[in-house]
Amino acid sequence: MNSIQTNEENKTSLFRFVVALADDSVILSHRLSEWCSNGPYLEEDIALANIALDYIGRARMFYQYAAEVEGENRSEDDLAYLRTEREFTNLIIHELPIGDFAFTMVRQFFLDVFYHLYLQELVKSKDQTVAAIAQKAIKETRYHLKRSEPWIRQLAEGTTESRDRILLAIDELKEVVGELFDMPSWEIELVEAGIAVDRQSLKPAWDKHVQAFLSASDIDFEDTRLQITGGREGIHSEHLGHLLSDMQYLQKTYPGMKW
Amino acid sequence: MISMDTKTIDEAVELAKFEQKIANEEKIEPSDWMPEAYRKNVIRQMSQHAHSEIIGMQPEGNWITRAPTLRRKAVLLSKVQDEGGHGLYLYSATETLGITRSEMIEALQSRKAKYASIFNYPTLTWADIGAIGWLVDGAAIVNQISLQRTSYGPYARAMVRICKEESFHQRQGYEIMYELAHGTPVQKQMAQDAMNRFWWPSLMMFGPHDADSAHSGQSILWKVKRESNDFLRQKFIDQSVVQIEVLGLELPDPEIVWNEERGHYDSGPIDWDEFKRVINGGGPCNYQRIKHHKKAHQEGEWVREAVRAYRLKQQTKNVA
Ligand SMILES: [Fe+2]
Ligand SMILES: [Fe+2]
């Protein structure tokens, strides 16, 4: 009896862990795809669509696995299209509107540095499916980081305007990066089981990387501010509801149909 | 006087060589001599093609964030990304004729250059994404396959490369239509409506009837165009009617009927007034498409300025 209960608990934790990673990916992908035909260069339209594609690929793999773990016959699309804003558990940084190109690139830079560290650990997960997804994702993230860093450099050292925009974006995003390193209780459990990654432990390396990179462009980065959190508990910014009403429009207007 | 004569003689020799190459089915390459009118003709056609790829991203992009499933979303995103790639590739290929990308974009934004008129129609429902992939990419393929034999080398090679991706585009569109046509009544209606709206503009994509086509004659002689508008349009109609039957939708044109004697489908008259109106700026989305393009371009100006400034700083640093 006891062991079955533990398994059920593990299963719930694993589901919450995996579905949250899927939510992070699908929401960021959605935002990146909004750049389609809106970028400053045609090359950027293409590149951002490409990154959006990488993230939607991740989202699908994580959702499929979450559905499998849950074992309730839900599909990847049920999870993405039929859950409410309170059920989505993505971290807030992924859902913020794209803003200007500086905002998008600073967010991307912060996330690329984070995922670069995170996925390096996640590939060691004892859960083989999670490890395999991480293995695929890390190759993509290496490439993403190779793109976002030069962009930050160029914009930070380009014109006064571009530098101001970068500084403004950093200032705004500072408030939401902290959540990347928060550990919800179920993830702590999974760290002990060797499945999840201790996000908190990545913080020093992330700080070091970001600070060193930015200081080369004479930008001081200290995220000492109070952090906005709540994504993992389903407490989001006002933006997520709008994003979901867009994303889920067809499934909600025409329930139960095949597309 | 003497120098002018020499020039004329030189030109006559070059022109004869050029014409011989065309006759021999050899490709004209960027470094080859070519008549100014040929250069202009190819620039017009290629840049128009490039602009079409780019403007086409707007009506399709309209549904990326609202695609109904994750798989459809990924497929559409990668399709639209391909179109951006085609545009990029075609702009570069056109630059080999001595025009810059920013000159081409300027011509687009000032409406001097045209793009496929079909993108001046709105995508109102998800089925429109199916209809575009199936009919618009379908029509584009028919045209582009014939352009693989176009006389300008870089254009011909671009077409070979692009055609490889186009069949995937058409398939994803047809798949969307098939799913809808075999879905609930409301979905079937959505598919029928989208096809009805996109059918005639798709036929117009092939341009005016051969007798009324301003640029066709010379283009065919120079082998820039390889088949006539009407020939390609007929090919498209013939292949599409069969596909409509598989979908189980009603024909969008009641006059479509098999003509045993011709071995082709006959069809009803095209509304050329609408064609002219839309091509001259009077379609439902002409204004919106160019406005959007300009807006994105203007909003990106500070980025491009920053890149130029950064490069300049780096160069100065390297020199010092
Ligand atoms: Fe294309
Ligand atoms: Fe296409």
Side-chain angles (χ1 to χ4, degrees):
Chain A
M1 199 61 202
N2 210 336
S3 80
I4 290 170
Q5 251 175 12
T6 317
N7 276 343
E8 277 304 306
E9 233 169 69
N10 271 349
K11 204 177 93 174
T12 310
S13 297
L14 184 59
F15 174 77
R16 292 181 81 177
F17 167 62
V18 177
V19 89
L21 293 176
D23 289 346
D24 286 341
S25 302
V26 85
I27 296 298
L28 183 65
S29 170
H30 185 104
R31 286 304 186 206
L32 288 166
S33 75
E34 290 177 33
W35 277 102
C36 179
S37 84
N38 289 306
Y41 292 94
L42 177 51
E43 285 83 345
E44 280 315 297
D45 278 19
I46 298 170
L48 290 169
N50 210 7
I51 299 173
L53 267 171
D54 288 344
Y55 275 99
I56 204 170
R58 266 179 226 189
R60 294 188 66 191
M61 291 185 286
F62 282 129
Y63 277 135
Q64 284 163 10
Y65 185 47
E68 189 188 309
V69 169
E70 187 188 42
E72 306 261 326
N73 260 328
R74 285 206 279 184
S75 68
E76 53 169 359
D77 291 325
D78 293 339
L79 292 173
Y81 291 92
L82 301 178
R83 280 153 68 239
T84 66
E85 44 273 66
R86 289 285 282 112
E87 292 170 291
F88 263 75
T89 54
N90 61 282
L91 300 173
I92 290 165
I93 190 171
H94 302 93
E95 76 200 31
L96 297 179
I98 55 175
D100 63 4
F101 190 68
F103 185 88
T104 286
M105 290 324 290
V106 172
R107 163 165 55 195
Q108 216 49 45
F109 168 60
F110 283 171
L111 288 177
D112 292 344
V113 175
F114 174 79
Y115 283 118
H116 195 246
L117 297 166
Y118 181 79
L119 293 167
Q120 269 174 7
E121 295 304 314
L122 197 62
V123 293
K124 300 175 202 157
S125 173
K126 283 190 181 145
D127 184 304
Q128 292 194 345
T129 311
V130 169
I133 298 171
Q135 193 65 55
K136 184 174 181 296
I138 196 166
K139 287 182 205 130
E140 298 160 355
T141 286
R142 268 189 212 120
Y143 163 77
H144 300 168
L145 187 59
K146 272 191 195 145
R147 265 182 38 83
S148 56
E149 284 191 338
W151 265 119
I152 301 301
R153 185 72 73 225
Q154 289 181 86
L155 297 177
E157 299 182 21
T159 60
T160 320
E161 182 183 2
S162 68
R163 186 176 177 85
D164 286 348
R165 285 176 186 259
I166 286 287
L167 294 176
L168 204 66
I170 291 174
D171 208 43
E172 201 175 336
L173 282 155
K174 256 182 189 176
E175 298 191 339
V176 287
V177 286
E179 202 184 14
L180 290 169
F181 306 98
D182 282 354
M183 289 296 288
S185 57
W186 62 90
E187 270 191 49
I188 295 174
E189 237 173 76
L190 292 172
V191 170
E192 282 156 17
I195 291 169
V197 175
D198 179 5
R199 292 168 170 266
Q200 193 63 52
S201 72
L202 307 174
K203 185 77 165 59
W206 187 87
D207 280 340
K208 201 175 150 208
H209 185 121
V210 168
Q211 279 165 0
F213 186 84
L214 291 179
S215 80
S217 292
D218 273 327
I219 297 173
D220 274 335
F221 181 80
E222 297 166 62
D223 66 318
T224 51
R225 278 222 236 143
L226 224 98
Q227 294 290 331
I228 297 167
T229 61
R232 285 286 188 260
E233 305 291 340
I235 309 290
H236 293 276
S237 70
E238 288 177 349
H239 306 293
L240 184 69
H242 295 281
L243 186 156
L244 292 181
S245 62
D246 201 24
M247 183 172 112
Q248 299 176 335
Y249 155 70
L250 276 170
Q251 291 274 4
K252 295 223 163 138
T253 311
Y254 305 99
M257 297 185 195
K258 276 182 67 195
W259 301 92
Chain B
M1 260 331 260
I2 290 168
S3 72
M4 240 188 91
D5 276 349
T6 320
K7 197 185 158 210
T8 317
I9 291 164
D10 282 352
E11 259 196 42
V13 172
E14 293 289 4
L15 184 63
K17 270 205 275 185
F18 171 84
E19 280 172 349
Q20 192 57 51
K21 268 191 205 150
I22 298 275
N24 294 347
E25 294 285 328
E26 281 172 52
K27 297 293 177 222
I28 306 301
E29 294 300 333
S31 55
D32 293 348
W33 184 92
M34 61 189 88
E36 208 35 47
Y38 175 87
R39 186 188 301 275
K40 282 214 181 96
N41 184 309
V42 180
I43 287 179
R44 184 184 56 78
Q45 191 170 329
M46 287 179 79
S47 64
Q48 185 171 320
H49 194 158
H51 297 324
S52 303
E53 305 278 2
I54 300 310
I55 296 295
M57 293 168 79
Q58 289 183 38
E60 292 195 283
N62 184 35
W63 281 91
I64 288 176
T65 58
R66 292 181 294 168
T69 69
L70 294 172
R71 189 175 80 87
R72 293 272 179 234
K73 195 184 175 101
V75 168
L76 179 60
L77 193 52
S78 88
K79 193 251 186 202
V80 175
Q81 187 209 20
D82 280 354
E83 306 299 10
H86 296 171
L88 193 61
Y89 192 61
L90 281 164
Y91 280 132
S92 313
T94 314
E95 283 184 322
T96 61
L97 289 158
I99 184 169
T100 65
R101 191 158 123 200
S102 50
E103 285 170 326
M104 288 184 259
I105 286 172
E106 156 57 30
L108 170 69
Q109 292 186 346
S110 63
R111 295 162 199 269
K112 267 182 253 146
K114 302 241 183 293
Y115 54 87
S117 214
I118 193 137
F119 298 127
N120 292 316
Y121 293 86
T123 49
L124 303 176
T125 70
W126 171 247
D128 291 17
I129 297 305
I132 287 188
W134 167 42
L135 295 174
V136 179
D137 287 73
I141 293 172
V142 169
N143 189 34
Q144 289 171 9
I145 285 177
S146 86
L147 286 174
Q148 290 179 348
R149 295 184 297 122
T150 189
S151 57
Y152 188 56
Y155 195 21
R157 290 189 288 275
M159 287 302 102
V160 171
R161 198 169 134 171
I162 286 172
C163 275
K164 282 184 193 146
E165 289 175 346
E166 291 296 348
S167 59
F168 147 67
H169 296 175
Q170 193 190 21
R171 206 166 47 236
Q172 64 90 33
Y174 194 69
E175 246 182 49
I176 290 172
M177 291 302 271
Y178 191 90
E179 193 72 55
L180 294 173
H182 293 82
T184 62
V186 69
Q187 286 174 307
K188 189 165 181 181
Q189 182 47 41
M190 204 187 266
Q192 180 75 52
D193 171 57
M195 182 186 67
N196 290 351
R197 279 183 289 113
F198 277 94
W199 175 256
W200 294 105
S202 299
L203 299 190
M204 293 176 198
M205 281 175 73
F206 295 95
H209 285 309
D210 297 345
D212 312 318
S213 178
H215 300 286
S216 269
Q218 190 59 59
S219 295
I220 295 262
L221 284 179
W222 277 332
K223 297 184 181 171
V224 176
K225 271 171 80 160
R226 300 309 309 252
E227 310 279 8
S228 80
N229 295 352
D230 287 329
F231 174 85
L232 294 171
R233 183 165 24 239
Q234 183 68 61
K235 202 171 154 193
F236 174 72
I237 292 172
D238 290 346
Q239 80 180 31
S240 299
V241 171
V242 181
Q243 291 163 345
I244 295 168
E245 278 162 5
V246 176
L247 291 176
L249 295 177
E250 276 169 41
L251 291 170
D253 169 5
E255 293 182 46
I256 288 177
V257 61
W258 178 251
N259 182 327
E260 192 66 58
E261 210 174 302
R262 289 202 308 127
H264 291 294
Y265 284 97
D266 289 341
S267 54
I270 293 170
D271 182 351
W272 293 111
D273 287 339
E274 175 175 336
F275 174 75
K276 276 176 215 140
R277 190 176 67 243
V278 177
I279 223 170
N280 290 318
C285 299
N286 297 59
Y287 191 83
Q288 180 191 336
R289 299 289 182 241
I290 294 298
K291 188 177 164 190
H292 181 110
H293 195 276
K294 281 184 183 166
K295 182 170 170 274
H297 196 70
Q298 278 158 11
E299 282 174 1
E301 184 50 35
W302 69 268
V303 178
R304 294 188 297 274
E305 214 180 290
V307 168
R308 287 192 292 268
Y310 180 79
R311 281 192 194 143
L312 206 66
K313 282 180 196 169
Q314 292 308 107
Q315 279 167 12
T316 339
K317 245 190 231 167
N318 289 343
V319 172

